[in-house]
Amino acid sequence: MGRLAVGVAVGVAVATCAVAGVVVGRRLRSRRKWRRVVGVLRELEDSCETPVGRLKQVVDAMAVEMHAGLASEGGSKLKMLLTFVDRLPTGSEIGTYYALDLGGTNFRVLRVQLGGTRSSILSKDVKRQRIPEHLMTSTSEDLFDFITSKLKQFVEQEETVSEAAQSRTRELGFTFSFPVKQISIRSGFLIRWNKGFAIEDMIGCEIVERLQGALMKKGLDMWATVLVNDTVGILALGHYYDADTVAAVKIGTGTNACYMERADAIIKCQGLLTSSGGMVVNMEWGNFWSSHLPRTTYDIDMDLESPNPNDQGFEKMISGMYLGDIVRRVILRMCEESDIFGPVSSKLLTPFVLEMPLMAAMHEDESPDLKEVAAILRETLEIQDVPLKARRLVVKVCDVVTRRAARLAAAGIVGILKKIGRDGTGGITGSRSKSDAKMRRTVVAVEGSLYTSYMMFREYLHEALNEILGEDVAQHVVLRTTEDGSCVGAALLAALHSSSSSSSSSDGLHRRQ
Ligand code: ADP
Ligand code: MG
């Protein structure tokens, strides 16, 4: 072989080795990066773990905090607010009633005609409207003017001439889903606003008086009979359909729960007597906190950057407003760890850009190539050309975050059942053994899009409920979805407490002297 030929052969060999070296180096680097991304997922999985033992600790903590919140004002992060609702609809309510539901960006007006036998809602008309943004931070006069003018239009549209000519004052249930200190079934003072509302002149004011004044100004002959929170409406509707309903839970933009408590267990209000011996308590459970809740660095960062740090801790792990943002934060971290998702986009840095329905759609994407995931990453987070294996990782992130949320919600529900002795263990003291505690059929009314429209969430919640309670007990616990409970339930309570109803219970509610 000539020298030239040897030289060429050596050159080629060296070049081949160099290329191979570059390729191997690149592969090693990309493998390292992939491992780092997978590491982010593993870390998330570890810190979101909710084995049944931990869930049971959350159950106990919920029951203990409920006790503390009932024992004294400020005794717990759970406010355990009195609602003065001492009885729930039975199905015998009869007549036409209205409801006004204010509790978020939308408000609703409703009219129902009740037939007087269980489950006979003869007609139901609902109108939903957005509250113009400027009114959310304006004055109470502006807000109530707007609401009552819409209510007046609605009444005029819905009523026939002969109905309008009847002399009876129309009765209204008012659903006002903000923290309220109630002093009677139709009177309460606003503690503080949330959900984007900030009308300073209303804080500390009596709410029904404002509404009643605005109704009068409009010349609308209507009487607000009850003031309730949305979960109380859900409980009322649940009970209207099924007398075994003892609690209600809402898991939507935010989350909350209420339940029927024994009046004598409400220690902070000593001597409280009700005609039924019970009272619905609005837990404001979104604010529940326990060191047993599995918290990640993403939760901590989201909380610190929120307008209400250290508040609504449970809600921030469970509800629709927040889950998408936890997922966004995890994807951002993955992006920072590796270039598998390309450069960090400005969208990925934008808080709350990944909304709950999009996150649910990614989680439930069943296409073999995860088309939906790719589209949402591209269009919402501006992350292009994500390889399939990375898209699978995103689905897994959604799964971890949703599974934790649903399992914690299940633990919260069992916490309520435990507090009222319906978890099959004989209540918080555990005085009776499982075998001799006879389980009664127990229904919990549930509303909110996470539960009703997000199948994976619902399935994880049911699975956890079975795990915590055990099948023997779980078979007696029914979660029942209701619809429009926040307003239909308020109208039902207005009917139950109507001045024309013979058994109006507000008279039967007083403090022992
Ligand atoms: P509210 O605002 O009164 O809580 P909803 O019960 O409808 O009303 O809950 C709204 C929340 O549910 C929002 O956070 C919304 O993004 C989320 N959501 C709506 N549709 C879905 C869905 N299909 N899957 C998961 N979450 C959803
Ligand atoms: Mg609502």
Side-chain angles (χ1 to χ4, degrees):
M1 200 187 291
R3 262 193 205 167
L4 183 64
V6 170
V8 169
V10 169
V12 168
V14 168
T16 310
C17 282
V19 169
V22 169
V23 170
V24 169
R26 240 187 237 154
R27 262 200 208 141
L28 276 177
R29 267 197 304 280
S30 109
R31 226 176 262 163
R32 250 197 317 264
K33 281 179 190 164
W34 177 246
R35 269 207 300 270
R36 280 210 297 270
V37 174
V38 173
V40 172
L41 174 66
R42 296 279 170 261
E43 207 181 287
L44 177 76
E45 284 175 325
D46 286 349
S47 44
C48 284
E49 254 193 85
T50 48
V52 70
R54 183 186 275 248
L55 292 180
K56 286 183 176 171
Q57 289 173 318
V58 175
V59 168
D60 291 346
M62 179 66 85
V64 166
E65 290 299 317
M66 289 169 77
H67 263 275
L70 291 172
S72 63
E73 211 66 69
S76 162
K77 290 211 86 165
L78 288 182
K79 284 212 164 61
M80 306 299 284
L81 300 171
L82 275 68
T83 64
F84 295 87
V85 172
D86 62 338
R87 288 173 311 137
L88 293 166
T90 58
S92 59
E93 296 71 24
I94 192 160
T96 300
Y97 291 87
Y98 290 83
L100 184 62
D101 177 6
L102 178 67
T105 42
N106 288 307
F107 86 102
R108 285 182 297 179
V109 286
L110 162 115
R111 176 180 132 111
V112 281
Q113 284 183 289
L114 307 170
T117 53
R118 189 175 288 284
S119 312
S120 71
I121 293 179
L122 303 177
S123 75
K124 169 179 134 184
D125 303 291
V126 193
K127 189 155 188 205
R128 177 189 281 257
Q129 268 174 316
R130 241 187 130 73
I131 303 266
E133 215 160 288
H134 70 276
L135 290 181
M136 294 165 72
T137 52
S138 174
T139 62
S140 58
E141 193 177 350
D142 289 348
L143 179 70
F144 280 104
D145 260 355
F146 175 78
I147 290 171
T148 48
S149 67
K150 296 294 167 195
L151 181 60
K152 189 172 185 199
Q153 277 172 19
F154 177 79
V155 170
E156 284 164 0
Q157 272 163 17
E158 297 298 328
E159 280 184 353
T160 61
V161 177
S162 69
E163 278 174 330
Q166 281 172 6
S167 60
R168 195 174 80 86
T169 304
R170 302 169 190 92
E171 289 187 84
L172 172 88
F174 185 24
T175 310
F176 186 79
S177 305
F178 299 95
V180 167
K181 180 164 176 50
Q182 252 176 287
I183 55 162
S184 78
I185 190 144
R186 70 172 306 270
S187 179
F189 296 81
L190 177 64
I191 300 171
R192 63 183 145 78
W193 288 107
N194 53 31
K195 303 179 242 190
F197 280 79
I199 301 171
E200 288 303 318
D201 76 279
M202 271 275 303
I203 295 172
C205 287
E206 208 290 310
I207 298 144
V208 177
E209 223 169 69
R210 297 274 160 132
L211 173 67
Q212 207 59 63
L215 288 169
M216 216 151 79
K217 222 168 93 185
K218 288 272 167 319
L220 192 56
D221 186 12
M222 195 174 249
W223 179 250
T225 309
V226 295
L227 172 69
V228 296
N229 162 282
D230 57 355
T231 54
V232 176
I234 297 167
L235 178 58
L237 182 58
H239 197 270
Y240 180 76
Y241 287 127
D242 190 328
D244 290 332
T245 309
V246 294
V249 174
K250 167 92 190 253
I251 315 170
T253 306
T255 183
N256 192 14
C258 71
Y259 72 107
M260 183 58 93
E261 181 57 280
R262 289 191 339 264
D264 64 3
I266 308 176
I267 296 161
K268 65 182 172 186
C269 194
Q270 281 219 339
L272 182 74
L273 285 181
T274 68
S275 53
S276 67
M279 184 184 284
V280 176
V281 172
N282 166 17
M283 294 174 63
E284 291 292 330
W285 90 349
N287 206 31
F288 168 66
W289 187 254
S290 156
S291 58
H292 297 299
L293 292 172
R295 204 177 195 205
T296 67
T297 52
Y298 309 105
D299 299 303
I300 295 170
D301 292 346
M302 184 174 70
D303 181 50
L304 283 174
E305 291 165 30
S306 73
N308 54 348
N310 289 319
D311 276 338
Q312 300 299 102
F314 196 47
E315 178 166 271
K316 285 171 181 163
M317 288 186 167
I318 285 184
S319 77
M321 169 135 189
Y322 301 100
L323 299 194
D325 206 52
I326 300 175
V327 169
R328 177 193 67 85
R329 284 167 189 274
V330 180
I331 300 175
L332 174 60
R333 168 88 192 284
M334 288 177 161
C335 240
E336 289 164 347
E337 289 288 330
S338 119
D339 53 9
I340 192 155
F341 290 98
V344 173
S345 70
S346 62
K347 275 289 179 64
L348 191 54
L349 291 166
T350 311
F352 298 103
V353 69
L354 183 62
E355 292 184 355
M356 191 66 236
L358 296 175
M359 174 191 159
M362 292 205 288
H363 190 194
E364 297 185 329
D365 184 357
E366 283 181 347
S367 64
D369 54 346
L370 299 178
K371 254 201 315 279
E372 191 66 27
V373 178
I376 292 168
L377 290 175
R378 190 173 58 241
E379 284 152 28
T380 305
L381 296 177
E382 286 174 352
I383 310 176
Q384 317 289 336
D385 307 321
V386 178
L388 182 59
K389 66 175 183 178
R391 300 205 290 274
R392 287 204 184 102
L393 228 53
V394 170
V395 175
K396 189 69 195 151
V397 172
C398 297
D399 185 67
V400 172
V401 172
T402 290
R403 185 166 184 270
R404 178 185 69 162
R407 290 172 71 81
L408 291 178
I413 293 171
V414 181
I416 301 175
L417 300 184
K418 182 170 188 123
K419 171 69 185 70
I420 57 175
R422 299 267 194 146
D423 69 329
T425 66
I428 193 167
T429 52
S431 52
R432 280 182 292 164
S433 72
K434 229 174 186 158
S435 54
D436 59 359
K438 194 170 172 306
M439 219 14 231
R440 286 157 66 190
R441 182 171 174 275
T442 296
V443 181
V444 178
V446 190
E447 281 196 25
S449 292
L450 267 80
Y451 186 79
T452 56
S453 313
Y454 189 1
M455 200 182 64
M456 297 291 279
F457 184 96
R458 188 167 61 238
E459 280 179 4
Y460 279 140
L461 194 155
H462 290 171
E463 187 180 71
L465 214 56
N466 283 336
E467 277 178 42
I468 303 169
L469 291 170
E471 291 210 352
D472 286 353
V473 175
Q475 63 177 320
H476 299 283
V477 176
V478 179
L479 299 195
R480 176 175 182 150
T481 320
T482 49
E483 207 176 303
D484 293 332
S486 59
C487 50
V488 181
L492 290 170
L493 287 167
L496 185 64
H497 292 86
S498 157
S499 48
S500 61
S501 125
S502 55
S503 55
S504 175
S505 83
S506 39
D507 316 325
L509 191 74
H510 56 276
R511 261 174 206 242
R512 202 166 26 217
Q513 295 304 308

mmCIF file of all heavy atoms in Angstrom, residues 101-106 108 128 177 195 230 250 253 486, ligand 2:
data_model
loop_
_atom_site.group_PDB
_atom_site.id
_atom_site.type_symbol
_atom_site.label_atom_id
_atom_site.label_comp_id
_atom_site.label_asym_id
_atom_site.label_seq_id
_atom_site.Cartn_x
_atom_site.Cartn_y
_atom_site.Cartn_z
ATOM 1 N N ASP A 101 -78.086 34.278 42.614
ATOM 2 C CA ASP A 101 -76.848 33.589 42.995
ATOM 3 C C ASP A 101 -75.651 34.445 42.591
ATOM 4 O O ASP A 101 -75.344 34.596 41.415
ATOM 5 C CB ASP A 101 -76.833 32.222 42.273
ATOM 6 C CG ASP A 101 -75.565 31.427 42.531
ATOM 7 O OD1 ASP A 101 -74.733 31.861 43.342
ATOM 8 O OD2 ASP A 101 -75.428 30.359 41.899
ATOM 9 N N LEU A 102 -74.989 34.981 43.606
ATOM 10 C CA LEU A 102 -73.809 35.810 43.350
ATOM 11 C C LEU A 102 -72.625 35.157 44.050
ATOM 12 O O LEU A 102 -72.655 34.961 45.256
ATOM 13 C CB LEU A 102 -74.053 37.221 43.913
ATOM 14 C CG LEU A 102 -72.904 38.214 43.774
ATOM 15 C CD1 LEU A 102 -72.639 38.564 42.324
ATOM 16 C CD2 LEU A 102 -73.203 39.482 44.565
ATOM 17 N N GLY A 103 -71.619 34.816 43.266
ATOM 18 C CA GLY A 103 -70.522 34.113 43.940
ATOM 19 C C GLY A 103 -69.285 33.999 43.082
ATOM 20 O O GLY A 103 -68.355 33.276 43.398
ATOM 21 N N GLY A 104 -69.272 34.716 41.986
ATOM 22 C CA GLY A 104 -68.103 34.633 41.113
ATOM 23 C C GLY A 104 -68.289 35.594 39.970
ATOM 24 O O GLY A 104 -69.028 36.573 40.093
ATOM 25 N N THR A 105 -67.656 35.286 38.869
ATOM 26 C CA THR A 105 -67.729 36.206 37.748
ATOM 27 C C THR A 105 -69.109 36.210 37.093
ATOM 28 O O THR A 105 -69.497 37.165 36.453
ATOM 29 C CB THR A 105 -66.671 35.863 36.691
ATOM 30 O OG1 THR A 105 -66.661 34.455 36.560
ATOM 31 C CG2 THR A 105 -65.312 36.341 37.111
ATOM 32 N N ASN A 106 -69.833 35.098 37.310
ATOM 33 C CA ASN A 106 -71.196 35.051 36.777
ATOM 34 C C ASN A 106 -72.194 35.194 37.909
ATOM 35 O O ASN A 106 -71.905 34.836 39.041
ATOM 36 C CB ASN A 106 -71.455 33.707 36.096
ATOM 37 C CG ASN A 106 -70.719 33.599 34.787
ATOM 38 O OD1 ASN A 106 -70.847 34.477 33.934
ATOM 39 N ND2 ASN A 106 -69.927 32.569 34.630
ATOM 40 N N ARG A 108 -76.492 34.439 38.651
ATOM 41 C CA ARG A 108 -77.628 33.766 38.044
ATOM 42 C C ARG A 108 -78.915 34.185 38.731
ATOM 43 O O ARG A 108 -78.934 34.414 39.937
ATOM 44 C CB ARG A 108 -77.470 32.251 38.169
ATOM 45 C CG ARG A 108 -76.436 31.726 37.201
ATOM 46 C CD ARG A 108 -76.311 30.235 37.276
ATOM 47 N NE ARG A 108 -75.848 29.779 38.574
ATOM 48 C CZ ARG A 108 -75.683 28.504 38.880
ATOM 49 N NH1 ARG A 108 -75.963 27.579 37.981
ATOM 50 N NH2 ARG A 108 -75.244 28.153 40.055
ATOM 51 N N ARG A 128 -78.124 33.180 33.285
ATOM 52 C CA ARG A 128 -76.778 33.398 33.785
ATOM 53 C C ARG A 128 -76.199 34.634 33.100
ATOM 54 O O ARG A 128 -76.360 34.808 31.898
ATOM 55 C CB ARG A 128 -75.944 32.175 33.418
ATOM 56 C CG ARG A 128 -74.490 32.246 33.786
ATOM 57 C CD ARG A 128 -73.771 31.065 33.166
ATOM 58 N NE ARG A 128 -73.991 29.857 33.946
ATOM 59 C CZ ARG A 128 -73.066 29.352 34.780
ATOM 60 N NH1 ARG A 128 -71.896 29.913 34.893
ATOM 61 N NH2 ARG A 128 -73.320 28.263 35.456
ATOM 62 N N SER A 177 -71.864 33.751 47.859
ATOM 63 C CA SER A 177 -70.787 32.825 48.215
ATOM 64 C C SER A 177 -69.465 33.520 48.497
ATOM 65 O O SER A 177 -68.475 33.338 47.777
ATOM 66 C CB SER A 177 -70.630 31.780 47.122
ATOM 67 O OG SER A 177 -71.859 31.158 46.915
ATOM 68 N N LYS A 195 -62.265 36.154 45.032
ATOM 69 C CA LYS A 195 -62.602 35.891 43.626
ATOM 70 C C LYS A 195 -62.667 37.160 42.779
ATOM 71 O O LYS A 195 -63.545 37.304 41.923
ATOM 72 C CB LYS A 195 -63.937 35.122 43.526
ATOM 73 C CG LYS A 195 -63.952 33.806 44.283
ATOM 74 C CD LYS A 195 -65.278 33.101 44.188
ATOM 75 C CE LYS A 195 -65.913 32.955 45.541
ATOM 76 N NZ LYS A 195 -67.078 32.095 45.607
ATOM 77 N N ASP A 230 -73.246 28.965 48.582
ATOM 78 C CA ASP A 230 -73.584 28.020 47.500
ATOM 79 C C ASP A 230 -73.624 26.556 47.949
ATOM 80 O O ASP A 230 -74.502 25.798 47.532
ATOM 81 C CB ASP A 230 -72.683 28.192 46.261
ATOM 82 C CG ASP A 230 -71.205 28.061 46.556
ATOM 83 O OD1 ASP A 230 -70.849 27.919 47.737
ATOM 84 O OD2 ASP A 230 -70.413 28.106 45.601
ATOM 85 N N LYS A 250 -68.442 21.291 47.041
ATOM 86 C CA LYS A 250 -68.309 21.904 45.717
ATOM 87 C C LYS A 250 -66.835 21.869 45.347
ATOM 88 O O LYS A 250 -65.980 22.302 46.114
ATOM 89 C CB LYS A 250 -68.821 23.353 45.812
ATOM 90 C CG LYS A 250 -68.485 24.240 44.638
ATOM 91 C CD LYS A 250 -69.583 24.234 43.599
ATOM 92 C CE LYS A 250 -69.140 24.915 42.326
ATOM 93 N NZ LYS A 250 -69.710 26.197 42.078
ATOM 94 N N THR A 253 -64.087 26.144 40.580
ATOM 95 C CA THR A 253 -62.986 27.111 40.570
ATOM 96 C C THR A 253 -62.307 27.103 41.938
ATOM 97 O O THR A 253 -61.086 27.069 42.053
ATOM 98 C CB THR A 253 -63.543 28.521 40.287
ATOM 99 O OG1 THR A 253 -64.285 28.446 39.088
ATOM 100 C CG2 THR A 253 -62.431 29.528 40.151
ATOM 101 N N SER A 486 -76.734 25.606 43.853
ATOM 102 C CA SER A 486 -76.511 26.883 44.523
ATOM 103 C C SER A 486 -77.722 27.801 44.377
ATOM 104 O O SER A 486 -78.071 28.504 45.311
ATOM 105 C CB SER A 486 -75.252 27.566 44.003
ATOM 106 O OG SER A 486 -75.359 27.784 42.625
HETATM 107 MG MG MG B 2 -70.240 29.400 41.703
#
